[in-house]
Structures are given as structure tokens and as C-alpha cells.
Amino acid sequence: MQTTRANLLLTATTLMVAATVQAKTVIFFPPPTTSYVVYHSGVAAAVASLGHQVWLCLPHFMVERNLVKDKSVHILEYGQHLGNLEYQIYTRTRIVDKFWEGQTPREMEALYDVSTVVTEIASDILSDKKFVDQVRNLKADLFVLESIPFNMNMIILPYALDIPYALIGTIHDVVLSKVPFSPATTPFPVYRFSDRMTFLQRVTSTIYYLMRINFDLFYDSSLVSKFAPHKPYKSINDLAANAEIFIAEVDHILDYPRTMLPNTKLIGGSSASPAKPLVGEFQKFVDEATSGIIVMSFGGSVVNLAPYISNKMVSAFKQLDLRVVWKINMTSPDPKQIMTSLWIPQNDLLGHQKAKLFVSHCGKNGQYEALYHGVPILCLPIYGDQGYNSERVRVKQLGLYTDMREASADELAAMMKEIIYGGKYAENMKKASRLYRELYKVPKHEAAYWLDHVMTYGGAYMRSAGQQMPWYQLYVLDVVAFLLAIALSVLLCTAAIARKCYQIYRGSSTGKKTKHQ
Ligand SMILES: *[C@@H]1O[C@H](CO)[C@@H](O)[C@H](O)[C@H]1NC(C)=O
């Protein structure tokens, strides 16, 4: 008896030790656009640093670009025949060009356009037999998928190959993760709403969520039967709800407090990390700045600005005595004050003590880097979630927000001065930054921790029963309907009985009257 127990204990211990030290295989699948690939590769490297074998799926046209800096992350190439997918997305949707031309961005429409292109691309990737075989042969323990709605068709791949999957993404998407929520306090980032909505905003938000819950707005569930014919049919929303874990690159400091379930982990933005010292020409340029620097960038994909915008920015910068490091495809009109470059070490520049202002389109990555390093932001959004991201900066008073097409150079300069010298924004940002670092540590390590955790323990123990129910059951609409039906039946029965009684009473009283007569 004693020995058996000891043996069991020994076996259990050995198994546990084996489970903790055994390297697992993890595959990341970001959408084929630069900013997603960059932040996924950061998280992938953090997972690799825990001793796992990590692969990142990269379209052929991106392989040469050296976006995945960490050599411990292996590249799994796909789409040899697909060409430049990012270019296709931008040229076919013309999101950025339409913006320069002065068209009002309709975020929903743009997201829908992107989704249409990306759905076609997903079909191509899922039909790429060589790629699918490579994924199968890796016998991965976890498939990590970007949860931005337009990437969700790719969830069919791990489902078809029986690989457990995790979702990571820019948005804490309550529809995909089936978190009980109220449309009145949960703005979806295509709208420029905060968590305090007007009545009309609440109407819009409710309609949006009803559509998302009932229809595939941004993905196509019919692809499930096409590419996983041997598996039971499930909608993409239902497949998503079965993820081992939902990691969202938001927080409650820069973003708004939201409802969560135990398997939702908010990590803040993973691209932010402690700054490394500047080197080369960047170091020289910043060292020689006497009254601080401005960092300006419109992210990974927008380096070609309409000339009327870049001219305006130059004249605004000229009104300040700060140096500017600007990510743009342009020769500097004044190399003494303005340094232009196709690439900048953004996180390291923002982490430099001389950084006073970040002029940004407000993509998620850059915004979290600014928060991490406590640099206030002038928000000049272009499309997608950037308007929403800018609004949260305005609401939380961490910077200012304007439409760069309409603001004049003088107005832009005035806003920059207000942010830099007004005190309030810099102070709020410093405070938010301290709180953020206290709570979120190094976000990519947090993400890696949770991915490792669900590979060891699985995510089922954190899954709420509600995540496996249809929405009408979760919100007890069936129960409410049932109770209303009972109440209505009782009411109708009572009314019928009352009427009958009344008729009998009247009948008998008229009878009496007749008798008397
Ligand atoms: C930069 O601009 C030049 C000339 O306008 C263009 O030929 C080139 O493709 C651009 N580079 C990038 C990376 O967009």
C-alpha cells in the first residue's frame, strides 16, 4: 500500500516536472500586415524565451523584410503565389488615399472592405496544401491567432488540424470571447465612442452588437464546412468561444474599464518595453537637442504622406524649438531641426528622457509605447481603430486630438505647445505611466506567461458555462419569454374567468329581474 502510494507520488512528480521542462511547439498567425507581424513577433520571442519551439507564419513577400528580429522565432512561410498582400489590402480598399483626398472615413465600411479582401486571402491560404501540411507536421501544442475580426477565418486551420488555439488581439472582443456585457458601456473600436455614450451612440452600439452576434460581418462561417469538412460544423463565433484563452492588448488605464471573464487577460500593449540606449545617427541627433524632442510616426504602413499634410507639419514644427525625429519617406527640409527616416527606433526614442511629445496616428502599438514611457500624444488618426484610440486619449486628457486635414499649421503648432508646455497632459501621462507599469509589468512577458500556462494546464478550468451557450440563453431571454408567457396566460385566463363570472352574474340578475316582472 505504502509503496504504491509512494510510486504514484513519484510518477506524478516526474510527470509534473516533465510537463514543466518539456519544450512545446507554438505557432503564431498574425494577419499579413506590418504592425501585426511586429507585435506578434515580440510575443513569440517572449514565448521562445521560456524554452519553447516557436513558429511565426509569414507571407512570402514579408520574409525578406527582417520584421522578426529574434532568431529564436522560426519562420513558417506561406503564400508564394500570393504577392504583396499588404499592398493588395491598401490598394484595393484605398483607405489611406481616400483619407488624404478628404473623404470622411467610415470605419465600419473600411473594416468591411478590408474583411472582404482578407476573406479571399484566407481562402487562398487555407487552400495552400503545402503550408497546411507544414502546420500539421509540426504537431503544435498551441496555435496563437490574431483576433482582429478580419483575421478570424484563419481559426479554421487549428480547428481542422485539432490544434488547441489561443486568441490574442488589439481588441477585447466581447462577441468572440462571449463575455457578458452591456452595449451601453462597451464601445467597439470602429466607433469613436467612449464608455459614456449618448442615447444615439447607445442605439448604434446595440445595433452593431446585435449584428455581430447574429451575422458574420467580417468573416465567413461557410468556410468552416469547406476547409474542415471532416469536423462538425461550428460557426466562427462558436469556434472562437472555445479558445483556451483570450489575451487582449488593452487595459483599464488608457482604455475603459470593461467586463471580463477569468479567461480574458488584459496585458496592455506588448510592443512597449524598457528602452535601449540610442545608437548612431539617432543618438547624435537627440544628444544635440537642447530643449527636447518630438517623435512623429504614422506607423508601419503609412510613410508616404500627402504633400499638403507634410508641408503643414513642417511649418508647425518650425514654430517650436524642439528637434523632431520623423518616420516619413521624405528628405528633411531642415536636417538641423528635423530628422527624417524610413525607420525609427520608436520605443527607444519615446523612452528617452528628452522625449516631450509623440505625434501619432494612434495605432495601438505606438500608443502603448507612449503610455509606457509617459509621453503625451497629439493624435492625428487616419483610419480603423485610430479614431477610437485618439478619443480615449482626449477623454483621459493624455493629449489632444484633431483632424490633420482641417487643422492649419498654426493650430497644429498651438496644440503641440499646449501639450508640451501646458503641464496637464504631460503630468496625467506620467501618472498613467506609473500606474500602468505597476499593474502590467512587461506586457509581452505577461502574454507569454498565459500562453505557457494554458499549454501546461489547459484553459477549460477558466471557461464560463456562458461561453458555450447561445446568447439568448446567456441573457436568459428564453426564460424571460417563458415567464412573460406564463404571466400573459395567467392574465388572459383571469380576464376570461372574470368575464365569464360577470356574464353569469349579469345573466342571473337579468334572470331574476325577468322573474320579478
Ligand atoms: C518613397 O518615395 C519614393 C518617391 O516618391 C517612391 O518611389 C518609393 O517607393 C517610396 N518608398 C516607400 C518605402 O514607400
Side-chain angles (χ1 to χ4, degrees), residues 301-304 328-330 342:
S301 319
V302 184
V303 288
N304 299 297
I328 185 173
N329 183 16
M330 182 178 88
L342 269 180

Side-chain angles (χ1 to χ4, degrees), residues 23 41 55 68 75 91 100 105 139 201 259 266-268 427 446 448 466:
S41 65
W55 298 78
V68 185
I75 303 296
T91 47
W100 299 141
K139 299 196 189 339
Q201 290 178 335
T259 49
L266 304 192
I267 59 157
E427 211 170 279
E446 299 291 305

Side-chain angles (χ1 to χ4, degrees), residues 166 171 175 195 216 223 298 375 413 426:
I171 299 169
V175 176
D195 59 344
D216 286 349
L223 296 179
F298 284 166
V375 182

